[in-house]
Amino acid sequence: MWWETLPAQLTMWAAAIAAILYLIKLLFGGAEFVRRLLLALFLLGDTERWPNGSTDLLSSLNSIYSKQDELAMKQDELGEKQAAMTKTQNQVLEEVKGVTRRLEEHITTGHH
């Protein structure tokens, strides 16, 4: 019979080994997912690992949000200061242009 021939036997064994290797790969892939999930759950429940000294996730997130609000306020203040500096620089530039214009007039018309 055809399934008793050597090529058929080799093909069946190769297919069986490939299927077993694929199933083992799926099993280890699932184990990796479960390991990552358990690690994430452990880290969420660990009160000593919060970098900002919080004891739970909610207070840790609230602390992060308040820091972000402080940063936004500082950036607004910096933007206002920068706008004031730009205004002052423009005023100084206009004064320098005026002085330059008067100096050119003085040079072209001579000393009075």
Side-chain angles (χ1 to χ4, degrees):
M1 301 215 173
W2 68 269
W3 58 82
E4 294 174 355
T5 63
L6 184 61
Q9 290 291 325
L10 289 175
T11 303
M12 285 191 311
W13 278 105
I17 290 173
I20 289 172
L21 290 176
Y22 179 73
L23 290 174
I24 289 173
K25 179 184 173 194
L26 284 179
L27 180 66
F28 281 124
E32 178 68 19
F33 171 76
V34 170
R35 186 187 69 78
R36 287 183 182 177
L37 179 64
L38 291 175
L39 179 63
L41 291 174
F42 172 74
L43 291 176
L44 283 175
D46 189 7
T47 59
E48 297 177 4
R49 289 189 183 244
W50 299 108
N52 56 6
S54 300
T55 57
D56 61 350
L57 179 61
L58 182 61
S59 59
S60 175
L61 291 176
N62 285 334
S63 174
I64 290 170
Y65 296 147
S66 66
K67 296 287 183 191
Q68 287 176 338
D69 288 341
E70 288 176 23
L71 177 62
M73 288 187 336
K74 296 281 183 187
Q75 286 175 336
D76 289 342
E77 291 173 11
L78 182 62
E80 291 170 5
K81 288 179 182 178
Q82 190 172 11
M85 260 178 67
T86 302
K87 182 180 176 184
T88 304
Q89 285 175 341
N90 288 339
Q91 289 173 346
V92 168
L93 182 61
E94 289 300 319
E95 289 178 15
V96 168
K97 285 180 182 178
V99 169
T100 304
R101 204 171 27 253
R102 286 191 298 269
L103 181 60
E104 286 176 355
E105 289 173 2
H106 179 72
I107 291 173
T108 57
T109 59
H111 299 284
H112 289 284

